[in-house]
Amino acid sequence: MPTSYFTERFTWLGTYQRKTKRLQEMLKSIALSTSCKVASRLSKHLGIVTSHHTLLRLLHKLKLPSYEPPVHIGIDDFAFKKRCRYGTIIINQETRRPIAILNGRDKETVVKWLEQHPTIQTVTRDVLSHTLRLSLKRCLMLIRLRTVGIF
């Protein structure tokens, strides 16, 4: 006669897991704030022995936040290295978070990015060059024509 075993299920411990949910959340937050190798070394000092591969597996299980296409954006240029390399930063005005960092501040780069995002309705800007200002007007005109149905 086969023997059967009774096991109790705990809410704080998942099935076939060696770490509690609380410990996994703590390891995820450490791994997200640093690299996984550094988080592995730091966790050893905290008394938790784990490898960086385990931390990577925990991060791969994370769900990505939902992404809504931007409607209102802000554009500004900045210097990666003063007088050498410049870039353009695009910020979602509703969430106040950066969306994209473009290499260069020329009009072709910005127009190409704007044409790839047809949901944009409003563009706010800092002081831009005259050529970039004209290209923004042209691109927004194309977006308006698309929404009307002419283009």
Side-chain angles (χ1 to χ4, degrees), residues 23-138:
L23 178 61
Q24 286 181 0
E25 291 300 318
M26 186 176 75
L27 288 173
K28 283 179 196 175
S29 65
I30 293 171
L32 285 172
S33 62
T34 62
S35 69
C36 287
K37 287 190 178 186
V38 173
S40 173
R41 281 182 277 173
L42 179 66
S43 65
K44 285 180 187 164
H45 291 291
L46 295 173
I48 307 162
V49 179
T50 185
S51 69
H52 66 278
H53 295 291
T54 304
L55 295 172
L56 280 173
R57 278 193 298 275
L58 282 175
L59 292 182
H60 281 291
K61 289 180 186 177
L62 286 176
K63 302 236 187 302
L64 293 176
S66 62
Y67 173 75
E68 295 180 15
V71 177
H72 309 289
I73 63 167
I75 296 178
D76 194 9
D77 56 339
F78 67 98
F80 286 111
K81 186 173 181 184
K82 206 169 194 175
R83 297 187 188 105
C84 290
R85 286 185 37 217
Y86 292 94
T88 304
I89 187 166
I90 300 174
I91 297 174
N92 188 341
Q93 292 291 347
E94 295 168 343
T95 61
R96 309 236 185 235
R97 296 196 178 266
I99 300 170
I101 296 177
L102 308 175
N103 285 328
R105 57 181 180 180
D106 54 340
K107 68 176 183 178
E108 291 85 18
T109 310
V110 176
V111 169
K112 182 179 176 185
W113 190 90
L114 284 172
E115 287 174 349
Q116 292 173 353
H117 298 82
T119 59
I120 296 173
Q121 296 175 358
T122 309
V123 176
T124 58
R125 58 177 171 73
D126 196 13
V127 179
L128 294 174
S129 64
H130 181 68
T131 56
L132 193 55
R133 200 174 299 139
L134 290 176
S135 67
L136 283 175
K137 287 181 184 177
R138 187 180 132 258

Side-chain angles (χ1 to χ4, degrees), residues 128-151:
L128 294 174
S129 64
H130 181 68
T131 56
L132 193 55
R133 200 174 299 139
L134 290 176
S135 67
L136 283 175
K137 287 181 184 177
R138 187 180 132 258
C139 194
L140 286 175
M141 192 181 338
L142 287 174
I143 291 170
R144 285 191 196 110
L145 290 175
R146 267 191 227 142
T147 57
V148 172
I150 297 173
F151 203 43

